[in-house]
Amino acid sequence: MTAADRLAKLFQSIAGRDWSRADAIALEICTDSDEKGHHAMARRLRGALRPNGRSMDNGRKQHVSSPDEFVNPLAALKPLTRAVRLDDVVLKPRWRRELEQFIREWRCREVLRKEGLSARTKLFFHGPPGCGKSLTAMALGHELSLPVYVVRFDAVIGAYLGQTAVHLRQLFHFAEVTPCVLLLDELDALGKRRGNPLDVGELDRIVISLMQELEHADPAGAVVATSNLPQHLDDALWRRFDLVVEFPCPARRDLCTFGQAIAAKFGLRLGAPLTRRVVAAKSFAEAETLIESEARRGIVRVIEAENGRAAP
Ligand SMILES: Nc1ncnc2c1ncn2[C@@H]1O[C@H](COP(=O)(O)OP(=O)(O)O)[C@@H](O)[C@H]1O
Ligand SMILES: [Mg+2]
């Protein structure tokens, strides 16, 4: 194929918004340059194609180790494999009902579609850290028998103008052809990226691209976005979601029940001093860490006592 043919195909793919094909052709052009001995040019083209491509120009290796990884949007995705049921997550009754309804609708999505109704597939979880947003996304994957992939934003954000939009398109394309839970975890991380290497204009463009993708996406599974700082997110972004769930700071009563369940797992009794610390925790994650530290200390004490007895 001549260079002109390749370019024509590349432009056709761009015109048809077939980003995976455009990527594949772009990569062919890089390989072709290499084969012709134009290594500097091949490096430059790959740098333009890859996430954070800027530093590729310096010949430094990025976290993207092979060209295939980038063509495949899985380079930006990390599978989460923790098997957790929705019943294992402490939720406010209202949100549990909503999520259970979501799961029931999703399971009936084919019938709903025939009736001219689409199942809800785009969820937004917000609330302080450590209160169960990511855990619930994993539980949804388990309940829907779908793999869960968390998006690595560092791999999505490209240094070149428009590159991030292409990456987002690839990710949503992936979610449309792959039944999975696509977890856009801590969406506000995008907001924190103001300045280096993005300017505010680029950030605005990213948010617009994200909104467009959400608007038009028809995920084969579900897309779950989470945020610890929802006030930093564009108001218009919220409207793109079918279901918004709040994960508030836990009440003392919930922390107490949760603490007892975690302690029981380790055969630990929650005494009054530890209970006081557990119910004062700011999140379930903090309460869990407190109990796990106590359990760890207890086990070490027992082992050391046994070793002491065994010593001559
Ligand atoms: N609502 C909850 N119910 C049960 N465990 C929880 C809950 N929230 C947090 N945890 C525990 O804390 C860990 C971290 O919570 P995570 O879901 O990652 O928080 P975030 O809201 O920041 O995404 C979880 O893996 C789980 O062990
Ligand atoms: Mg999280």
Side-chain angles (χ1 to χ4, degrees):
M1 201 188 296
T2 66
D5 288 340
R6 276 217 175 90
L7 283 177
K9 280 206 156 51
L10 177 63
F11 290 178
Q12 275 166 2
S13 309
I14 293 170
R17 289 174 65 82
D18 185 347
W19 305 120
S20 316
R21 192 165 140 74
D23 259 340
I25 297 167
L27 213 79
E28 269 175 39
I29 295 173
C30 300
T31 311
D32 195 44
S33 300
D34 254 339
E35 280 167 4
K36 288 186 178 137
H38 304 155
H39 301 301
M41 175 159 155
R43 247 197 330 271
R44 197 169 152 207
L45 291 175
R46 282 204 181 91
L49 194 57
R50 289 179 183 186
N52 304 323
R54 227 175 241 165
S55 51
M56 294 294 292
D57 292 344
N58 308 335
R60 272 193 280 126
K61 207 165 157 60
Q62 290 287 296
H63 58 273
V64 176
S65 55
S66 86
D68 290 340
E69 269 187 292
F70 176 56
V71 172
N72 182 344
L74 279 169
L77 299 176
K78 191 165 140 275
L80 297 180
T81 49
R82 184 164 162 189
V84 49
R85 294 168 311 141
L86 198 61
D87 281 348
D88 297 330
V89 187
V90 184
L91 290 163
K92 295 268 168 233
R94 174 187 167 193
W95 299 123
R96 183 178 302 285
R97 279 197 301 277
E98 288 276 6
L99 287 164
E100 284 171 353
Q101 178 62 25
F102 166 82
I103 292 167
R104 289 209 293 278
E105 285 176 14
W106 194 89
R107 288 183 182 140
C108 301
R109 66 195 181 288
E110 295 307 332
V111 181
L112 287 172
R113 211 182 284 267
K114 282 187 193 131
E115 296 294 329
L117 290 163
S118 52
R120 295 181 289 176
T121 51
K122 299 163 207 170
L123 294 84
F124 181 51
F125 297 167
H126 66 95
C131 292
K133 299 181 295 297
S134 307
L135 188 70
T136 305
M138 286 187 261
L140 283 183
H142 186 72
E143 300 294 343
L144 302 175
S145 305
L146 294 174
V148 181
Y149 296 110
V150 64
V151 175
R152 288 175 32 228
F153 283 120
D154 59 334
V156 174
I157 295 177
Y160 293 93
L161 199 66
Q163 210 178 11
T164 308
V166 174
H167 296 166
L168 284 171
R169 176 78 286 269
Q170 287 178 320
L171 276 181
F172 278 84
H173 176 70
F174 175 82
E176 283 176 353
V177 297
T178 317
C180 67
V181 171
L182 186 73
L183 176 57
L184 303 168
D185 214 10
E186 303 190 12
L187 208 54
D188 33 87
L190 284 176
K192 287 194 204 122
R193 289 194 157 253
R194 271 170 207 271
N196 193 14
L198 303 165
D199 61 21
V200 176
E202 174 70 345
L203 182 65
D204 288 345
R205 279 190 289 276
I206 292 172
V207 173
I208 290 168
S209 299
L210 184 61
M211 289 198 287
Q212 284 173 343
E213 293 301 337
L214 278 167
E215 179 102 40
H216 300 295
D218 181 14
V223 172
V224 178
T226 76
S227 173
N228 296 330
L229 302 161
Q231 67 275 20
H232 287 197
L233 295 177
D234 196 307
D235 282 348
L237 191 62
W238 290 61
R239 292 200 295 276
R240 267 50 184 198
F241 295 100
D242 306 317
L243 176 60
V244 175
V245 179
E246 191 193 352
F247 289 75
C249 280
R252 292 169 69 90
R253 204 186 43 230
D254 291 337
L255 282 167
C256 191
T257 317
F258 173 76
Q260 280 162 352
I262 299 289
K265 262 197 342 198
F266 301 112
L268 192 74
R269 211 181 60 80
L270 267 194
L274 184 56
T275 304
R276 269 197 298 279
R277 285 163 63 212
V278 165
V279 299
K282 298 267 177 303
S283 65
F284 290 111
E286 188 185 328
E288 191 174 48
T289 305
L290 281 170
I291 296 165
E292 284 179 358
S293 311
E294 197 61 32
R296 221 175 275 124
R297 272 198 290 272
I299 291 167
V300 169
R301 267 199 304 272
V302 170
I303 292 174
E304 285 176 351
E306 281 173 4
N307 287 348
R309 271 202 299 278

